[in-house]
Amino acid sequence: MLLFSGSSNILLTDKVAGELNTRVAQSETVRFADSEVRVRVLEEARKEHCVVVQSLAKSPDLFLMEMCQFAEVLKREKAAKITAVIPYLSYSRQHRVNRKGESISVKLVASFIKTAGFDDCILLDVHDEEVLNYFKIPVQHLSAVELFAEYIDQKREEFGGADLVVVSADEGRIGFAQNLASILEVGFAFVQKERSLEQTDLIMSNKLQSEVKNKEVIIVDDIVSTGATVLQAAKECLEKSAFHVSLVATHGVFSTGENVLLNESVFNKIAVTDSIDQGSKNIFEKLDIVTIAPLIARSLLNFV
Ligand code: R5P
């Protein structure tokens, strides 16, 4: 297997390589002054199973183009199979038309990936399962739920001990939150959210379904971008007399400045996975990073 890294999450690719006891394959990415990108593969790919790891976060369009260029080269060089590992799939929140005239952007992203030459794909906690229908190549859809359960179990005291309840930040995460609650053998609740379609960081109304009084709450979400959703959910829980709130979310997008906002927020503790490289400047005191490298390595070994 040749394991290539796009430039968005080299740290994660290194860890996956470590798990697989292999090295990261050689390639070169150049960015021109006008921001165009050019990829060059520096390995003999013929008849090899080639894997490209790329998170489509921070500069999604650029990283998508870079990732697709890998496939274009590897296809021409007659790789036996080309697998895309996309720990964070941008545009996954644009999976349906909410208002007439909107684009189903993630459908387009899925078609780029196939057209570029990828034969299959590994994704992690995509925003909505509907997204998977747009992929016309086989997809392994992984979940970070067990990794989070293991992590919380190890830090149970920091998360508030025995009286925990898992709260889904909106209806979209109910399945994930129920799974997590059932593995941890704790209670479950969810928040009903209504977001403004004009101003995406504005939550119109939140309604907590079920009881959190005197509980230690763990709020879960797939993505934290502006932080508006999880902060509103936390507020709702505290208003309903929860003791403390913590947060676990698969993808820490943390659009500009949210690291400070969240660090100074009501959350006791915050955990995200390394699906997105946080670099050094985004790391904040309350944040723990749970690695998905073993999950991806297992998936590459067992399923692809
Ligand atoms: C949307 O429904 C997602 O599940 C997340 O709740 C949302 O993307 C988080 O975005 P933000 O942090 O900007 O509220």
Side-chain angles (χ1 to χ4, degrees):
M1 179 192 293
L2 286 176
L3 180 70
F4 291 95
S5 185
S7 48
S8 66
N9 204 339
I10 295 167
L11 202 63
L12 176 62
T13 317
D14 281 344
K15 286 189 197 160
V16 174
E19 292 286 331
L20 293 171
N21 214 5
T22 185
R23 65 178 176 89
V24 177
Q26 297 291 303
S27 67
E28 180 188 270
T29 293
V30 174
R31 294 203 197 295
F32 293 99
D34 63 357
S35 93
E36 276 188 10
V37 62
R38 184 187 66 201
V39 166
R40 190 170 163 222
V41 165
L42 303 170
E43 305 272 356
E44 183 48 67
R46 194 179 157 76
K47 293 194 176 159
E48 294 282 350
H49 176 200
C50 295
V51 176
V52 183
V53 181
Q54 181 80 308
S55 274
L56 305 181
K58 311 280 184 198
S59 304
D61 306 343
L62 203 135
F63 289 140
L64 176 65
M65 184 61 184
E66 183 192 15
M67 184 181 81
C68 288
Q69 286 191 18
F70 270 99
E72 192 278 331
V73 179
L74 294 168
K75 197 81 184 170
R76 270 189 297 106
E77 305 239 320
K78 309 234 174 330
K81 178 149 90 151
I82 315 167
T83 299
V85 175
I86 311 174
Y88 176 69
L89 182 72
S90 56
Y91 293 101
S92 66
R93 288 178 288 179
Q94 296 180 45
H95 59 95
R96 65 169 69 121
V97 174
N98 288 308
R99 292 167 303 174
K100 186 177 172 333
E102 287 178 346
S103 154
I104 305 176
S105 311
V106 76
K107 183 178 174 191
L108 208 51
V109 171
S111 88
F112 288 160
I113 290 168
K114 180 175 189 304
T115 306
F118 285 105
D119 296 299
D120 56 13
C121 181
I122 295 177
L123 303 174
L124 175 76
D125 286 337
V126 291
H127 175 64
D128 192 296
E129 298 244 328
E130 193 178 8
V131 166
L132 307 177
N133 298 333
Y134 297 125
F135 280 81
K136 303 302 175 205
I137 53 174
V139 174
Q140 276 299 318
H141 185 210
L142 307 180
S143 170
V145 70
E146 282 174 13
L147 293 174
F148 277 133
E150 206 177 306
Y151 157 81
I152 293 166
D153 221 19
Q154 279 163 9
K155 301 202 167 206
R156 205 131 180 156
E157 286 314 308
E158 289 175 48
F159 277 92
D163 225 3
L164 290 178
V165 58
V166 174
V167 174
S168 176
D170 59 26
E171 285 149 296
R173 281 302 99 187
I174 287 181
F176 187 99
Q178 277 176 326
N179 268 348
L180 184 60
S182 115
I183 301 172
L184 293 170
E185 300 181 337
V186 301
F188 156 79
F190 71 96
V191 176
Q192 242 174 3
K193 175 177 86 173
E194 198 188 324
R195 188 194 279 275
S196 160
L197 290 173
E198 273 72 40
Q199 196 185 331
T200 49
D201 60 349
L202 182 67
I203 308 298
M204 307 288 283
S205 75
N206 265 36
K207 215 162 148 233
L208 184 62
Q209 308 291 319
S210 166
E211 191 57 62
V212 295
K213 191 172 175 190
N214 298 340
K215 298 280 187 187
E216 301 286 349
V217 165
I218 302 176
I219 290 175
V220 302
D221 208 347
D222 55 335
I223 297 168
V224 180
S225 179
T226 65
T229 303
V230 292
L231 287 168
Q232 274 290 341
K235 190 166 163 250
E236 183 83 11
C237 291
L238 291 171
E239 278 171 8
K240 296 279 160 50
S241 306
F243 272 139
H244 302 106
V245 284
S246 300
L247 165 66
V248 298
T250 306
H251 309 294
V253 173
F254 301 140
S255 318
T256 324
E258 270 64 42
N259 48 343
V260 179
L261 181 79
L262 287 163
N263 204 38
E264 289 168 5
S265 70
V266 291
F267 289 114
N268 264 3
K269 201 151 193 50
I270 297 171
V272 297
T273 73
D274 53 0
S275 68
I276 296 171
D277 184 1
Q278 298 304 334
S280 51
K281 69 177 185 334
N282 253 60
I283 303 292
F284 53 92
E285 208 188 319
K286 285 183 183 174
L287 184 69
D288 277 351
I289 309 276
V290 177
T291 186
I292 54 169
L295 187 66
I296 289 177
R298 267 201 307 278
S299 170
L300 284 169
L301 288 176
N302 298 336
F303 303 114
V304 179

